[in-house]
Amino acid sequence: MSAAASTGFTQSLAWVVLFVVVIAALPWLVRRWQHQRSGVPRAAGAGSRVLASVAVGPQQRVVTVETGTSAQRVVLVLGVTAQQVSCLHVLAGASFADEVAAAHTASGHD
């Protein structure tokens, strides 16, 4: 193999590797760009988490999700099917544990 052919192969390989790296990094860059454009501040504890999930049919679930910042937590009760997600109830300003305790006390169970 001549030196010119070896250099051409190395350059081609470098371009292929660069192309693969750019394609792999593209989803990360798009998500970062979308977060910056949305203007939503990244506060500590601003994520959401699933608190409970109950199957009510083969493809239907009732899911309880806690979301918002730590100072403004909101608990959503969602109906989830294969076609859509519907908000069934919103518990604003109270923690899920407080709501469960209140319901437990109201039903007369200790």
Side-chain angles (χ1 to χ4, degrees):
M1 193 182 240
S2 69
S6 176
T7 302
F9 176 74
T10 304
Q11 285 180 343
S12 296
L13 182 62
W15 279 110
V16 169
V17 169
L18 180 65
F19 179 76
V20 169
V21 168
V22 167
I23 294 299
L26 197 57
W28 177 79
L29 290 170
V30 168
R31 275 193 308 264
R32 185 179 170 108
W33 178 69
Q34 286 175 339
H35 280 295
Q36 287 176 349
R37 288 202 59 199
S38 68
V40 177
R42 291 186 184 176
S48 359
R49 64 185 178 125
V50 175
L51 299 176
S53 178
V54 177
V56 293
Q59 294 185 351
Q60 299 91 20
R61 301 183 84 66
V62 174
V63 181
T64 306
V65 178
E66 186 177 37
T67 188
T69 62
S70 58
Q72 299 174 335
R73 280 300 201 205
V74 175
V75 176
L76 304 172
V77 180
L78 305 173
V80 180
T81 68
Q83 292 80 26
Q84 68 182 10
V85 176
S86 302
C87 185
L88 304 175
H89 190 67
V90 177
L91 305 170
S95 71
F96 182 65
D98 293 341
E99 291 292 328
V100 169
H104 196 61
T105 303
S107 67
H109 296 108
D110 281 327

